[in-house]
Amino acid sequence: MLIFWAVLGGFVLDAIFADPAWLPHPVVMMGRCISALEKRLRAALPTTPQDELLGGGIVAAVLPLGTLLVTGAACWLAAKLHPALGLALQMFWCGQALAAKGLKQESMNVYKELQKGDLPAARKAVARIVGRDTQSLTAEGVTKAAVETVAENASDGVIAPLFYMLIGGAPLALTYKAINTMDSMLGYKNEKYLYFGRCAAKLDDVANWQPSRLAGLLWVAAAALTGGSAAGAWKIWRRDRRNHASPNSAQTESACAGALGVQLAGPAYYFGEYYNKPTIGDPLRPIEPQDIVRANRMMYAESLLALALGLAVRLLFVL
């Protein structure tokens, strides 16, 4: 029952508190470890493609395994000291592994600036949550970027951590976060990370393969529950869920685009470089700021569905 209550409690903690800026976060520590490992390995190894692959592979092995061992040992020790302490630590870390409220807060900051008509401020707000260049985005481009981020991060910021914590509690959820953080820092197909970041990117693809597909299907159900088009979500998910360089990123984006009846993705600039990405969805109507609100509503609906189904499965088959 420990994992059951840790997951439920962690979900509630995230929904109430999100991630207070004053509170140390495991992802920040993971990021520092990745940067330190990268710096040391690049200094120690030659700059050949093979050696960069080796260095990146070392990072991709050390960080997740280290995270699993350290957090697993901490949870075990806390439970040995007192069962309530073990539960509290797991609950706390489960809450930190989830990002539903933080995602909503950041995306709604974009919505508020768009509603005020302050495009420069909206660009700055969306730059906090996307990797693309934002300085030249139109209001439509800013809106599209925010909606895409809500949809994509519903999978790797909520559904995937839930998936892993339901299996292995906070240690496995934080191990997943370590993999996802590596991909966000190293998984670029540019000159610097083409080889060094390849192992991290592939590992993230594997870790997200099942959760992203569950997230896509749950988004279809969430559309039906929140007034979106479930038929449109199902149609576009089946058609466009592979319209991305990543095998996982378009799973929820496609369902979201279909539910809203808008077109997402398409060409974008990253670090000054143009990427001719395929579009996702059909432009049945122009995208509008209110779609950020609608996307968040569906994100929370699918999160609650995932929580309820996951806890039910755990009760039926794990206990």
Side-chain angles (χ1 to χ4, degrees), residues 96-148:
Q96 288 193 309
L98 296 168
K101 185 169 184 179
L103 179 58
K104 180 183 178 182
Q105 288 174 334
E106 293 289 347
S107 60
M108 288 303 293
N109 287 339
V110 180
Y111 170 76
K112 290 171 186 174
E113 299 300 343
L114 288 169
Q115 288 293 92
K116 291 190 292 187
D118 193 341
L119 182 56
R123 288 170 177 160
K124 288 181 181 178
V126 82
R128 290 171 52 87
I129 54 174
V130 300
R132 75 192 65 181
D133 298 344
T134 62
Q135 61 269 23
S136 300
L137 289 179
T138 62
E140 179 182 348
V142 169
T143 305
K144 185 187 293 187
V147 171
E148 289 170 14

Side-chain angles (χ1 to χ4, degrees), residues 267-281:
Y269 283 88
Y270 294 82
F271 305 105
E273 188 173 347
Y274 178 81
Y275 287 82
N276 188 24
K277 298 164 64 178
T279 57
I280 295 172

